[in-house]
Amino acid sequence: MSAPAAPRPTLPTSSPVAATVTGTAAGTAPATDPRRRGLLDWRVRFAILSVIWGFSFLLIKVGTEAFAPFQVALGRVLFGALALLAVLLVRREPLPRGLRTWGHLTVAALLLNTAPFSLFAYAELSIPSSLAGICNATSPLWGMALSLIALSEDRPTRRRFAGLGLGFLGVLTVLGAWNGFSGVDGKGTAFALLASLCYPVGWIYVRRTLAGTPGSPVALTGGQLMVSTLQLALVSALFTSTPASFPLWPTLSVVALGALGTGMALQMQYGLVTEVGPTTAQMVTYFIPVIATTAGVLVLGEQLHWNTPVGAAIVLAGAALTQTRAASRKPA
């Protein structure tokens, strides 16, 4: 979303919510409107959202048991798009208009949906879902590093530099660097880290090309998911074969991943940003790896070594530091 001064990356989640919620208004927080409060208390919705996004990595893992990674990603964006289109239909809101807008949405879909969703699915063929969830938490670290180049008006402070170094130390701890990274699949981990890098790259692009574009965040994200569906349908047709069967649990996992994790969750996140502001809403990011790790261990029986939760805590601490900004002085 093309603003004169692109804001720093926030809301580092595995979805386009950061790009649309903060980008549509050129990075400004929506004003809180008491009339738009949800039926449930925001804390309850915050907890539900954390669980949905935390379980997304488990759902990806289950989905890849029966479907190719590209097909898992395709199902994810397809059912996510259908969920948001249903919301638009109820609200009677139109999709974005203009070839230029759709051209930018095509690139945004590639960076924020098609590429990262596919990479995470490929990563989980060889790494635990818990590790994928922790890799996802490195997005703000990548965003801070990219801000050195792409966001010159928001130069990192010493504290944010310290956060970047701390986060890198956390990644090394999770991967067990002192053991020569033994027991960790390098290719799968690289895919997951590359997926997390896609998000801040996409956020920067969206803020610089689509800021101020007419349309609600739901309409823009719905259009973005539609384009991603077309992209992944083409890729899946070229590089995968049609599934011979649709086993119950993998199929339900993909449907839930799309309809809940990429559809309903985004809608819920928009409501949280409107009600409590982006700073509080983005804190959901720090619960995702905790829930992803817990789900992987309890549901899938994944092994958990001491360095995984310790490293994850260090990564989250570093990520939190990279999101802090020096307090601006009030005018006299």
Side-chain angles (χ1 to χ4, degrees):
M1 306 179 176
S2 175
R8 75 182 162 86
T10 55
L11 294 172
T13 64
S14 55
S15 67
V17 64
T20 52
V21 171
T22 59
T24 302
T28 57
T32 302
D33 185 353
R35 295 173 298 177
R36 297 189 64 181
R37 294 182 183 275
L39 297 177
L40 296 175
D41 183 81
W42 73 266
R43 298 170 187 84
V44 176
R45 286 178 282 136
F46 183 97
I48 294 174
L49 184 61
S50 301
V51 171
I52 291 175
W53 273 339
F55 267 80
S56 293
F57 298 94
L58 180 149
L59 296 176
I60 294 172
K61 190 75 171 181
V62 176
T64 55
E65 292 178 357
F67 306 112
F70 281 135
Q71 293 169 348
V72 173
L74 172 59
R76 181 175 184 176
V77 295
L78 171 61
F79 290 106
L82 291 176
L84 291 185
L85 289 177
V87 173
L88 293 176
L89 184 62
V90 171
R91 293 182 175 182
R92 297 183 179 180
E93 290 185 24
L95 286 168
R97 297 179 181 177
L99 290 178
R100 183 182 181 85
T101 297
W102 282 97
H104 289 313
L105 286 176
T106 299
V107 179
L110 176 64
L111 294 173
L112 291 168
N113 305 113
T114 302
F117 290 179
S118 300
L119 286 168
F120 271 123
Y122 268 103
E124 292 199 39
L125 291 176
S126 56
I127 66 172
S129 63
S130 56
L131 178 55
I134 294 171
C135 288
N136 179 73
T138 64
S139 280
L141 302 178
W142 291 116
M144 209 287 282
L146 288 172
S147 69
L148 292 171
I149 303 172
L151 302 177
S152 58
E153 75 286 347
D154 188 25
R155 288 296 182 184
T157 62
R158 292 181 180 179
R159 178 177 295 184
R160 295 176 68 193
F161 264 121
L164 182 61
L166 189 62
F168 180 69
L169 177 63
V171 172
L172 294 179
T173 302
V174 170
L175 301 181
W178 59 91
N179 290 327
F181 305 104
S182 61
V184 177
D185 183 80
K187 183 178 180 180
T189 303
F191 279 162
L193 291 174
L194 183 58
S196 70
L197 171 61
C198 289
Y199 293 125
V201 174
W203 302 333
I204 292 171
Y205 176 83
V206 165
R207 288 188 177 95
R208 294 195 167 187
T209 58
L210 287 167
T213 300
S216 70
V218 178
L220 289 170
T221 307
Q224 183 176 305
L225 290 177
M226 287 175 59
V227 174
S228 181
T229 299
L230 294 176
Q231 292 173 345
L232 282 164
L234 177 60
V235 172
S236 297
L238 292 175
F239 298 103
T240 66
S241 57
T242 304
S245 62
F246 293 86
L248 178 61
W249 290 114
T251 302
L252 290 179
S253 294
V254 173
V255 173
L257 183 64
L260 297 180
T262 311
M264 189 188 82
L266 288 179
Q267 181 65 22
M268 192 177 296
Q269 178 77 333
Y270 298 143
L272 285 174
V273 171
T274 301
E275 184 172 337
V276 300
T279 301
T280 300
Q282 76 172 351
M283 293 302 294
V284 70
T285 301
Y286 304 115
F287 290 88
I288 292 175
V290 177
I291 295 173
T293 300
T294 303
V297 171
L298 297 181
V299 180
L300 299 179
E302 297 175 348
Q303 293 185 348
L304 182 66
H305 302 288
W306 69 267
N307 58 301
T308 301
V310 171
I314 297 174
V315 168
L316 293 178
L321 283 176
T322 65
Q323 299 302 293
T324 59
R325 308 182 74 169
S328 59
R329 294 182 178 180
K330 295 182 178 180

